[in-house]
């Protein structure tokens, strides 16, 4: 029985070592050297792996995403029928994301872009002091990542709202759901943070129509997936001054093409999908736990709900 590992070349060995540290008896095969396809009982994959390829392994019992998101595994043709998919819920991954969200919320809240522009022009000038209690944060998605960012922002004294597709309660957070709830929240959101899973329902959720609902001068932070945001619509909203600035970690496609207007835009902060990076040693225990559970036919953890898409 063997585990197929397939990820970016530079992290392959780290993952291998991290999995072996949890269970030295694992037989780990580094893709594309899978050996006998019948040996493979579990596949641990990142975005680049072709799901059609996984149909070669007749005894595959489990597919694990090496990240929080699973949209890349679920899109056509999807995992082989009947194979359960697990994703990561990892403290370090969550911590990294919380830091990145705080970094950008504070950057916008504390007028960092204006002060950098002033510095470039050697201008010594004080802007009006921002009011934390008046800066309303609206978070799209209150799952593992959105919930953690919400708590951290509440801790700093920001009023925090959150939106989910179906009703959800998070202590201290004003929660909204559904279509009408989305419109209601956006109308009062000064800094919008997207931490949703990408599903057919959430694709393009940040577009001209929804951007227009935000108050003039609002900020947009996207750390989820490029597909949540319609780039042309954001550019138009930035250029009209309706949106003040955006911090973006994710794009469609990735890498962001060299000639894309985001790169040189003075109101856009571009990150190379690095807001939070999975640390193999931190994530490996839950992966190995799931491999053992799958082998023994026990219930799996962090399972993806195919009907919900995350
Ligand atoms: C990264 O994008 C992840 O899904 O973990």
């Amino acid at each position: 029985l063997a585990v197929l590992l397939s990820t970016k070349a530079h992290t392959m060995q780290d993952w291998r070592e991290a999995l072996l540290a949890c269970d030295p008896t694992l037989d780990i095969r580094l893709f594309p050297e899978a050996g006998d396809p019948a040996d493979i009982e579990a596949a641990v994959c990142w975005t680049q792996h072709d799901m059609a390829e996984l149909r070669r392994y007749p005894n595959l019992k489990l597919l694990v995403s090496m990240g929080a998101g699973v949209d890349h595994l679920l899109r056509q043709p999807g995992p082989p029928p009947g194979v359960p998919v697990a994703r990561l819920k990892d403290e370090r991954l969550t911590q990294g994301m919380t830091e990145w969200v705080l970094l950008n919320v504070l950057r916008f809240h504390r007028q960092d872009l204006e002060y950098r522009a002033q510095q470039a022009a050697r201008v010594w000038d004080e802007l009006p002091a921002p009011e934390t209690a008046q800066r309303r944060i609206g978070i799209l998605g209150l799952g593992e990542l959105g919930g953690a960012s919400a708590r951290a922002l509440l801790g700093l004294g920001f009023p925090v709202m959150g939106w989910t597709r179906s009703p959800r309660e998070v202590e201290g957070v004003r929660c909204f759901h559904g279509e009408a709830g989305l419109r209601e929240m956006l109308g009062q959101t000064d800094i919008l943070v997207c931490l949703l899973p990408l599903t057919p329902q959430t694709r393009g959720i940040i577009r001209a129509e929804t951007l227009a609902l935000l108050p003039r001068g609002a900020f947009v932070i996207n750390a989820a997936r490029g597909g949540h945001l319609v780039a042309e619509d954001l550019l138009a909203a930035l250029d009209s001054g309706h949106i003040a600035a955006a911090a973006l970690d994710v794009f469609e496609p990735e890498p962001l093409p060299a000639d894309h207007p985001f790169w040189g835009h003075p109101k856009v902060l571009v990150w190379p999908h690095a807001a939070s990076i999975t640390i193999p040693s931190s994530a490996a225990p839950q992966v190995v736990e799931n491999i053992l559970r799958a082998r023994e036919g026990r219930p799996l953890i962090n399972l993806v709900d195919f009907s919900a898409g995350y």
Side-chain angles (χ1 to χ4, degrees):
L1 294 174
V3 178
L4 181 71
L5 199 55
S6 175
T7 183
K8 292 172 270 190
H10 70 280
T11 63
M12 206 78 131
Q13 283 304 336
D14 285 354
W15 265 101
R16 182 171 178 277
E17 278 162 30
L19 295 173
L20 286 174
C22 299
D23 183 349
T25 70
L26 289 175
D27 175 358
I28 297 178
R29 315 260 170 99
L30 305 186
F31 185 79
E33 272 133 53
D36 181 352
D39 294 345
I40 304 295
E41 58 172 343
V44 183
C45 297
W46 190 225
T47 48
Q48 77 306 322
H49 199 90
D50 171 17
M51 288 297 106
E53 198 277 338
L54 287 187
R55 285 163 169 73
R56 287 182 53 219
Y57 309 107
N59 298 317
L60 191 66
K61 287 196 223 32
L62 169 68
L63 171 60
V64 182
S65 164
M66 278 167 168
V70 291
D71 46 292
H72 54 285
L73 304 179
L74 299 192
R75 69 178 160 240
Q76 290 303 324
V83 174
V85 180
R87 63 195 190 91
L88 297 184
K89 289 190 186 171
D90 176 57
E91 248 174 61
R92 300 274 299 273
L93 195 62
T94 304
Q95 167 76 16
M97 186 56 85
T98 303
E99 290 171 1
W100 190 82
V101 168
L102 290 183
L103 171 71
N104 288 292
V105 164
L106 291 177
R107 199 198 288 279
F108 293 148
H109 173 60
R110 294 303 309 268
Q111 303 138 316
D112 191 47
L113 268 57
E114 289 96 316
Y115 281 119
R116 281 329 103 218
Q118 289 193 180
Q119 181 178 353
R122 299 176 186 247
V123 170
W124 182 278
D125 209 357
E126 193 179 294
L127 298 169
E131 282 280 358
T132 310
Q134 311 286 322
R135 186 85 72 178
R136 301 159 301 177
I137 317 284
I139 304 181
L140 298 173
L142 288 174
E144 207 58 24
L145 301 176
S149 282
R151 284 186 291 277
L153 289 161
L154 281 172
L156 288 177
F158 290 100
V160 179
M161 300 173 286
W163 179 84
T164 45
R165 273 214 307 144
S166 40
R168 189 153 187 158
E169 293 295 321
V170 177
E171 203 186 325
V173 177
R174 266 183 77 201
C175 293
F176 299 83
H177 68 273
E179 285 295 316
L182 178 62
R183 285 193 294 276
E184 201 183 334
M185 185 180 88
L186 292 177
Q188 325 167 43
T189 292
D190 301 310
I191 301 181
L192 182 68
V193 179
C194 181
L195 285 169
L196 284 167
L198 183 64
T199 67
Q201 290 78 22
T202 64
R203 174 167 285 281
I205 192 166
I206 307 174
R207 58 181 183 279
E209 184 195 338
T210 43
L211 288 166
L213 295 170
L214 294 168
R216 189 174 175 81
F219 298 92
V220 172
I221 297 176
N222 188 15
R225 286 291 181 262
H228 287 116
L229 179 118
V230 179
E232 305 74 58
D233 292 1
L234 176 64
L235 285 165
L238 287 164
D239 292 342
S240 77
H242 182 69
I243 298 298
L248 309 174
D249 182 54
V250 285
F251 304 90
E252 218 175 66
E254 290 180 9
L256 182 64
D259 60 353
H260 197 283
F262 281 155
W263 280 115
H265 200 293
K267 296 176 182 171
V268 179
L269 301 167
V270 170
W271 280 64
H273 202 142
S276 187
I277 296 167
T278 304
I279 298 163
S281 59
S282 173
Q286 64 182 288
V287 175
V288 172
E289 171 71 24
N290 255 341
I291 292 170
L292 300 181
R293 284 171 178 245
R295 188 181 289 170
E296 293 157 11
R298 288 187 286 129
L300 302 171
I301 54 171
N302 303 335
L303 264 191
V304 169
D305 172 355
F306 282 65
S307 63
Y310 57 92

